[in-house]
Every structure is written in C-alpha cells, then in structure tokens.
Amino acid sequence: PLGPASSLPPSFLLKCLEQVRKIQAEGEVLQERLCAAHKLCHPEELVLLGHSLGISQAPLGSCFSQALELVNCLRQLHSGLFLYQGLLQALAGISPEVAPTLDWLQLDIADFATNVWQQMEDMRVAPPGHPTQGPMPTFTSAFQRRAGGVLVASNLQRFLEPVYRVLRYLAQT
Amino acid sequence: ECGRIRLSDPIIRLGDSVTASCIIGRNCSHLDLESEILWKLESELHPGGRQKRLPDGSQESTITVPHLNYTQAHLSCCLYWGNSLQILDQVELQAGYPPPVPYNLSCFMNLTTNSLICQWEPGPDPYLPTNFTLKSFKNRGKCQTQEEPILDCVPEAGKSHCSIPRKHLQLYQSMGIWVQAENALGTTLSQKLCFDPMDLVKLEPPTLEALNPSPVEAPAQPGCLWLHWEPWKPGLFITQKCELRYQPQLGEASWALVASVPSKTHHHELCGLLPATAYTLQMRCIRSPLPGYWSDWSPSLVLNTTER
C-alpha cells in the first residue's frame, strides 16, 4: 500500500523527474550513436547475446502504481540505478564515438542515485551500509562492448519509464 | 666574491621600510678596502649607509630605505674604483599590497559545455603577482560543513573566471564555492556561495519562427500574428516557462510583454495589434518551477500584421 507520498518533498520529486528526463535523453543519444557508428540499432537482435553476457534488468515491482510501496520502491530504484552505474562502468573503452556520451550518462545516473539515497537517509529508510556491486558482465571484444551498450541502454530506457510514471504520480498526489 | 647583499625582506608592503646590508669580502682583488660603500636605488645614489669592518676584515654597509615607493626597484651595492662607480651586487625589491578580497562571485551552469562557469571581480591591483583559485566542496545540507572537496579550479593567467567540468559536479546536490586570492603578503577569501549547480542553469534562448496557419484553422485576422518556436534542444529535459516581448518596428513604442507563454504547445497567437504593421518579437525561457536563470532574449523575428 502507498506510503505517505507527502513524505517526499515536492522539490525532490521535481528534481527526480528532471533527472529521469535528462537520463532518458542521454540514453537516446547513446542508442543513436551506437546505431550510427556501429550499425547496432535493434536490441531485439541481441537478446541471445545479452543472456550469455548476463546483462540483467533491474526489478521495480514495488513501484507499480497499483501496489506502490514507497520505501521499497525507493530502494529498488536506487538498486537499479546502482546496477546501471556498474553496467556502464563495465562498458568502459566502448569506442571513441560513444565514450563521451557514456561518461555523461554515468555521471547523471550517479547523481540520481545519490539524490535517491540521500532522500532515503533523510527518511531514515536507507538500507544499512552502502550497496556493493554484484558480478558484472565481462566483455571480451569490442563488438561485445558495443552490443552490451545497446542492451544496457535499451534496458535503462525500459527501467526509467515506470520510474517516471510513479514519480509523476507521486508529484500529482 | 666581492659583494653580497642581504635583505630583510625582498617583498614588502608599499610605503614600508626595507633594510639591506652589503658585505665586501677582503679578498676582493684590486680593491682599497677603506672605500666607502655606496647604494643605488634605481638610479638614485644613496650614500650614508652605516659601514663597519667585520672581524674577518671584510666591510659591511647597512642601509634602511624608510618608505619604499617603488612597486619594483633595483637596489645596488657599489663603490668607486678609481673614478668609476662599480656595482658589486644587485637585488630586486618588490612592493605592493596584500590581495584585495575578491567580490561579486557568481556562477551559472552551462549545459552546452556541461560545466559550471564562475566569475568574480578581483579588486584593485595589489602590484604583486597574485594567484586566484576557485575552491569548492560537495555538501549535503546548507554548506555549513566541508564534506568532499572538489579539485581547485585555477583560472588562466589574468582571467577572473573559471570553469568546473561536469565530472567534478553533482548537479542536484549542494556545493559550497568561493574564491581565494594569494600573494607574498597574504591570502584573502571571497564571500562563499552555496547552491545546487542545476539551480543555476541558464538556458539558451528558443528559436522563433513565423507560423502560417492554414486559412481553415485561423483565418488571417487584421490585428493578429502567429508564431512558432523551437526550444533549445539540450534543455528539452527541463520544464520551463517562457515570456514573449514585442514592439512595432517603427516609432518609439516600448516592448510589450506576454508574461507566461504556455510552453507545451510551442506556438502562440498574438492579437490586439495594429493592422498592417511590422512587429519585432523576442522570447526567452527559464527553468520552472525549479530555480534557474532566464536565458538571453532570442534573436528578433519580424512579422507583419495584415491590412484591415
């Protein structure tokens, strides 16, 4: 059941909405650059490779409006952002055309994760201790890094859509 | 070694006194050790140093310049050798002031370069080489405690602005920032600012374009204009509000303002204008409801209202 949405300050929600839009825009640029530079334009063609590389999608079950559990939703949101920080770091050395965009994206996701973590701390619901990164995929070729980039960017966009919806819902209640 | 000057302090405050001593070694060949040691400050000869013989037989002369009014001056230790004045050693004196307190520090977040650009006023020239450094730290609250220092930003020589790159910033967390000025006579700090970098974002202006509505949609009314604008692309993720100003191209009329142009639709109908008149239009936008700075006004667009 929905926790007290009012416990989230409006400025926090407005900033988060802006950060999501910023990351979404950066993610689209990353996808466009991977497509333009390496002709890797369709993540659906790389699903098998994604499984073999172990590129997972971050769970967001607590954030769906019908069964929104605010604290768990914030925790899942932070864990997801933390996962994507790790995945993007694992893509380091992807290619000169894409590297700058990857750097901006990492910084923006790290900013967003910090914002969410500090809000949880302010609400005294932050998990004990700082999160530790789980095993990350190992990319053994330039192709794998670029394909991994397409998959991670696509997963990230699909992760951010429900995040944006729930934030907008919280901002309007 | 014939002559060696020693100084109380090579860099002093302008107008203060400076004391120097010059020792002439007894093994300085061809020299009559009883000669009077003379001092030259720039081109002015200053006899009358207090001269004495040291136990090892060398001569020492000491001089005090009561008020040094040069910001830079050469002080020479000399004596006459035959009829010619010989310089045996020379030092450079520097005088000036401690650095003034830098002021008017202001910053804005530039999304084109993805950096925080800060500028300040250095204050009056202290006449001494002075280093300015933009210092900052990340912080959670209102910048009362310095948590995580950010790399110092050193401006180009002579410049009073510096740019902190995105990788050193957390756009949505507060940071404290100030300017430090330092020279040989001291250090001063500017007033400290505390802000989220993103709250200082300054957008680039939108691009205005004429909108030619099809006659069905909006039959051309005499006192109306239709315009369309394209928001600045790097700022699309930011919710904004925009304002429009317009004035007839001829005559002395001042700008009229449309305070809040709905920002979702990107087009606007302007009515109540003079018929058959050329109007100059400009628009600017600002991050809203979150804080930010107004963009500059857009380049002008000139549109003409139709005849009656």
Side-chain angles (χ1 to χ4, degrees), chain A residues 17-56:
Chain A
L17 284 165
E18 184 174 281
Q19 287 185 280
V20 170
R21 290 193 298 269
K22 184 167 179 16
I23 294 167
Q24 285 174 320
E26 219 106 71
E28 280 163 24
V29 171
L30 178 61
Q31 289 172 303
E32 286 158 12
R33 294 230 163 116
L34 283 166
C35 180
H38 307 297
K39 301 297 176 281
L40 292 171
C41 308
H42 308 293
E44 59 277 9
E45 296 168 342
L46 303 164
V47 175
L48 195 55
L49 177 64
H51 289 323
S52 69
L53 289 171
I55 296 177
S56 53

Side-chain angles (χ1 to χ4, degrees), chain A residues 8 11 19 24 34 37 70 82 87 91 103 127 138 142 165:
Chain A
L8 290 178
S11 64
Q19 287 185 280
Q24 285 174 320
L34 283 166
L70 183 60
F82 192 67
L87 287 170
L91 291 167
D103 291 344
T138 308
R165 276 199 304 272

Side-chain angles (χ1 to χ4, degrees), chain B residues 1-6 21-39 50-62 76-81 85-89:
Chain B
E1 204 172 71
C2 282
R4 164 66 64 199
I5 295 178
R6 280 204 311 257
S21 68
C22 178
I23 294 175
I24 301 197
R26 58 185 171 74
N27 45 21
C28 180
S29 56
H30 312 303
L31 199 57
D32 164 11
L33 269 185
E34 295 313 319
S35 312
E36 183 192 4
I37 299 172
L38 303 169
W39 293 88
R50 301 175 297 283
Q51 190 163 334
K52 64 179 181 185
R53 174 189 290 284
L54 298 180
D56 67 354
S58 52
Q59 289 276 355
E60 178 184 41
S61 169
T62 304
S76 310
C77 169
C78 321
L79 50 71
Y80 275 105
W81 189 57
L85 189 66
Q86 297 295 303
I87 298 177
L88 299 177
D89 193 11

Side-chain angles (χ1 to χ4, degrees), chain B residues 255-304:
Chain B
W255 291 102
L257 190 71
V258 177
S260 195
V261 180
S263 62
K264 287 266 192 308
T265 56
H266 298 171
H267 57 259
H268 187 69
E269 182 188 46
L270 200 56
C271 285
L273 308 174
L274 302 169
T277 305
Y279 278 85
T280 304
L281 302 104
Q282 290 181 324
M283 179 178 276
R284 66 177 182 175
C285 298
I286 188 172
R287 182 188 194 218
S288 177
L290 291 170
Y293 288 129
W294 280 104
S295 73
D296 296 333
W297 288 102
S298 69
S300 296
L301 175 70
V302 178
L303 293 177
N304 295 281

